[in-house]
Amino acid sequence: MAIFAINMSGACNGVSKLHGEVARKMWNYLWPEVPEIEVPIGHITNGVHLPTWISEDMAELINRYVGPKWHDTPAEESVWNRVQQIPDEELWRTHERRRERLVSFTRQRLRTQLENSGARPEDIEIADEVLDPQALTIGFARRFASYKRAKLILQDFERLNALLNNKDFPVQIIFAGKAHPKDNIGKSIIRDIVNIIRREEFRRRIVFIEDYDMEIASNLVRGVDVWLNTPIRPREASGTSGMKASLNGVLNVSILDGWWDEAYRNTVGWAIGRGEEFENPEEQDVFEVEALYSLLEQEVVPAFYNRSSNNLPREWIRMMKNSIQYLSPVFNTNRMVREYHEMYYQPALHNWQTMSKEQMQMARTLAKWKERIYHNWPKVHITQVHSKDGDEIKVGGQIRIQAQVDSDGLKTDEIRVEVFYGPIDSDDYITYGNKAVMQLQQQLKKNSYLYEAVIPCEATGQHAYSVRVLPDHPDIINPYETGLITWYRE
Ligand SMILES: *Cc1c(COP(=O)(O)O)cnc(C)c1O
């Protein structure tokens, strides 16, 4: 279905920068002659609708100190500058209130869950004892697809116990999730978590809320201190719950995957690892379990409990403000919809209007042109490529490349001759290449032409270039639409 959809679409995009890269790699084989970097799949990073996900308390605080502009132009960075002027005390008390509310919401949900499951009265009572309204609270809520690795933080009972039950610096975790009734793996993950939580040392510190929905999500993303995400990179296309958390001043602790790979810097939250990708998934788990616990032990917990004289975690509050100031203007739906409009919808509409005019006149013409191009393309050849500038060029210098192209049956304005050039990797591939259009110099004989381009030499190291011919027409959506490319082969 994905291939069908890609082939039937005028344009395709991933939903984060990293997802764009992954998608170009994954689907490169649909454009076999096109270098990966040029596969026509772009990206527009997802965003969340701020008024839906920002808590009322926080919205009020932002209205008061930042002004009402964030409602109308949230994608304007300068609108958010004054977040820094919210007094520490006020921001922290607001956040603490929401944590307290989340704790009572969670207790109520747990009580209902226990009652509905027919638990014994003495077991239902625990619902009033779970969680501590003052403790560092970690939230983890999402669909329980296995790549999301919900159990990662539960891997090492000893270290987990030390974190959760530290007398002075306690930590607690609220899980929420659901699995599709036919998703056996998802259901088994939930069963495992529920079993682990039953352990005596965990049952007051970890809660699982069933039937994850938007109501639960909105309570969690505004009431916890830390939003945890532990997917296997690069399988999280974007992720949006972390965005919901960030604009409420909830700090993300996440694998560098999806949106977090482009949002992360050390002033707004934490990264688990550095975006490593292991061949062996077990090795990856081991490495990231270690990275996660170390991060919590050495950075997250100390930052949360490092209090000033009036019991304020100044460093933490600074990060909360940074998270709101720097992430809100980017990861919102206003910015996202504008990008879709400008990069995809508007050009698609324009294209439709052009094509459909006068009983589809342009579409008919283009279809005829394509037919002719497909028919004549086997006669396109690059017969010679050369440069007189030698193999060694100094940085800052340039190299003049000439190519001889035979294009029997096609006019010179129906083809485009390009040089593709750049540094080569260890497999002799030009992974990050640039292209330059070669100019027609002269006709050499019948149907045979000389083209030329001058390309700059901008960096040291081994570089390469190659020449290619593509069909060219003002009405094709992208140069690879026909799938036809002829590369020079010696
Ligand atoms: C935001 C949200 C999601 C998506 O969260 P991800 O981080 O993208 O997995 C799923 N379910 C609910 C109820 C949500 O609110």
Side-chain angles (χ1 to χ4, degrees):
M1 288 306 291
I3 296 168
F4 172 67
I6 288 170
N7 285 336
M8 297 302 287
S9 299
C12 304
N13 69 283
V15 293
S16 70
K17 185 163 177 281
L18 183 60
H19 185 224
E21 285 168 27
V22 171
R24 285 190 289 278
K25 186 171 289 176
M26 267 178 81
W27 301 112
N28 199 165
Y29 74 94
L30 301 179
W31 292 268
E33 295 291 323
V34 176
E36 185 185 310
I37 193 174
E38 295 187 306
V39 168
I41 301 177
H43 81 270
I44 290 176
T45 304
N46 282 345
V48 295
H49 184 243
L50 302 188
T52 300
W53 293 104
I54 205 160
S55 74
E56 278 164 35
D57 314 73
M58 188 58 76
E60 201 215 315
L61 210 53
I62 292 175
N63 280 338
R64 192 135 38 90
Y65 289 95
V66 174
K69 268 197 187 158
W70 68 274
H71 284 281
D72 299 327
T73 54
E76 228 170 84
E77 274 174 30
S78 60
V79 164
W80 299 88
N81 289 348
R82 283 197 294 188
V83 165
Q84 299 295 339
Q85 281 162 28
I86 303 174
D88 286 1
E89 170 102 33
E90 215 166 331
L91 182 61
W92 188 244
R93 297 305 164 224
T94 302
H95 177 62
E96 293 225 288
R97 238 184 2 258
R98 295 179 311 173
R99 188 188 321 105
E100 284 155 21
R101 260 187 253 144
L102 171 63
V103 167
S104 43
F105 171 84
T106 307
R107 287 174 179 165
Q108 262 162 23
R109 282 293 179 120
L110 181 60
R111 169 172 286 274
T112 313
Q113 266 169 226
L114 290 167
E115 283 168 1
N116 291 347
S117 71
R120 295 172 304 179
E122 60 266 36
D123 286 333
I124 293 175
E125 264 160 41
I126 197 176
D128 297 327
E129 295 163 22
V130 297
L131 307 179
D132 170 353
Q134 308 287 319
L136 167 53
T137 307
I138 298 176
F140 185 103
R142 41 190 53 84
R143 288 177 298 116
F144 277 30
S146 55
Y147 81 86
K148 299 212 183 220
R149 292 190 300 189
K151 290 188 289 182
L152 203 78
I153 195 176
L154 306 175
Q155 295 288 334
D156 185 333
F157 288 174
E158 213 168 300
R159 276 172 101 172
L160 183 62
N161 186 18
L163 277 168
L164 300 185
N165 293 306
N166 185 305
K167 279 245 161 355
D168 301 315
F169 311 129
V171 176
Q172 57 197 8
I173 309 172
I174 305 176
F175 281 100
K178 76 174 164 193
H180 189 274
K182 285 187 181 159
D183 175 9
N184 287 325
I185 296 172
K187 283 196 294 188
S188 83
I189 296 171
I190 292 179
R191 223 170 11 247
D192 288 352
I193 292 176
V194 169
N195 276 329
I196 294 170
I197 293 175
R198 286 213 186 107
R199 295 169 72 94
E200 188 52 36
E201 70 270 35
F202 297 153
R203 58 200 298 233
R204 284 177 180 73
R205 293 265 178 234
I206 310 180
V207 178
F208 184 90
I209 310 180
E210 296 168 358
D211 294 330
Y212 183 43
D213 61 9
M214 278 182 67
E215 190 199 350
I216 298 172
S218 69
N219 277 283
L220 278 169
V221 298
R222 61 185 59 171
V224 298
D225 300 290
V226 163
W227 195 252
L228 178 68
N229 195 15
T230 51
I232 302 173
R233 179 184 157 114
R235 293 176 59 181
E236 180 88 298
S238 166
T240 52
S241 55
M243 302 174 188
K244 302 168 192 168
S246 72
L247 58 102
N248 281 295
V250 169
L251 302 182
N252 279 273
V253 169
S254 172
I255 300 286
L256 291 176
D257 195 9
W259 81 289
W260 194 236
D261 187 61
E262 72 195 75
Y264 167 73
R265 54 200 124 151
N266 64 9
T267 50
V268 300
W270 286 278
I272 306 164
R274 296 199 186 127
E276 296 85 351
E277 288 173 26
F278 290 74
E279 292 281 327
N280 177 339
E282 279 122 52
E283 231 175 276
Q284 178 130 11
D285 281 4
V286 169
F287 177 84
E288 284 169 352
V289 165
E290 166 59 35
L292 171 59
Y293 285 119
S294 301
L295 187 62
L296 293 173
E297 292 159 355
Q298 290 161 27
E299 296 192 40
V300 181
V301 177
F304 183 85
Y305 285 108
N306 180 13
R307 302 298 170 98
S308 67
S309 49
N310 37 2
N311 201 24
L312 294 175
R314 300 278 183 188
E315 185 190 339
W316 193 278
I317 295 168
R318 188 151 32 90
M319 286 177 80
M320 289 175 75
K321 289 182 186 174
N322 289 340
S323 171
I324 300 169
Q325 181 186 342
Y326 296 114
L327 303 181
S328 308
V330 183
F331 301 99
N332 66 67
T333 40
N334 290 56
R335 188 269 312 149
M336 178 185 81
V337 172
R338 176 174 301 142
E339 287 182 359
Y340 273 104
H341 174 75
E342 286 172 359
M343 293 160 67
Y344 291 99
Y345 300 161
Q346 190 63 36
L349 176 64
H350 178 79
N351 196 41
W352 161 252
Q353 286 167 340
T354 311
M355 287 292 143
S356 60
K357 263 192 310 210
E358 295 157 24
Q359 285 91 45
M360 299 281 172
Q361 193 47 53
M362 294 283 258
R364 287 170 212 275
T365 310
L366 186 60
K368 283 223 180 70
W369 176 80
K370 278 188 183 173
E371 219 169 279
R372 200 161 53 75
I373 293 288
Y374 282 119
H375 181 74
N376 287 318
W377 199 256
K379 292 185 273 183
V380 171
H381 300 286
I382 304 167
T383 50
Q384 213 188 82
V385 170
H386 63 96
S387 172
K388 296 197 190 85
D389 294 328
D391 289 342
E392 298 211 2
I393 315 284
K394 287 213 172 81
V395 172
Q398 51 190 30
I399 173 167
R400 181 181 304 270
I401 297 160
Q402 293 190 321
Q404 191 178 322
V405 175
D406 293 358
S407 57
D408 188 10
L410 294 173
K411 296 197 244 17
T412 51
D413 64 357
E414 292 178 318
I415 59 168
R416 181 213 286 264
V417 183
E418 290 176 344
V419 53
F420 184 72
Y421 64 96
I424 53 173
D425 62 20
S426 51
D427 301 323
D428 279 357
Y429 275 111
I430 307 173
T431 307
Y432 298 102
N434 284 312
K435 64 180 178 188
V437 176
M438 299 186 81
Q439 302 300 330
L440 175 61
Q441 298 297 308
Q442 54 170 293
Q443 183 162 12
L444 298 170
K445 46 188 191 225
K446 188 164 185 282
N447 298 324
S448 184
Y449 302 89
L450 181 72
Y451 286 82
E452 184 179 287
V454 175
I455 58 174
C457 173
E458 286 161 338
T460 55
Q462 287 221 358
H463 286 60
Y465 62 84
S466 185
V467 171
R468 65 191 184 188
V469 186
L470 299 94
D472 195 16
H473 190 284
D475 294 328
I476 51 178
I477 297 172
N478 69 61
Y480 317 108
E481 185 181 324
T482 59
L484 299 171
I485 302 185
T486 295
W487 288 88
Y488 178 60
R489 299 215 158 78
E490 282 171 269

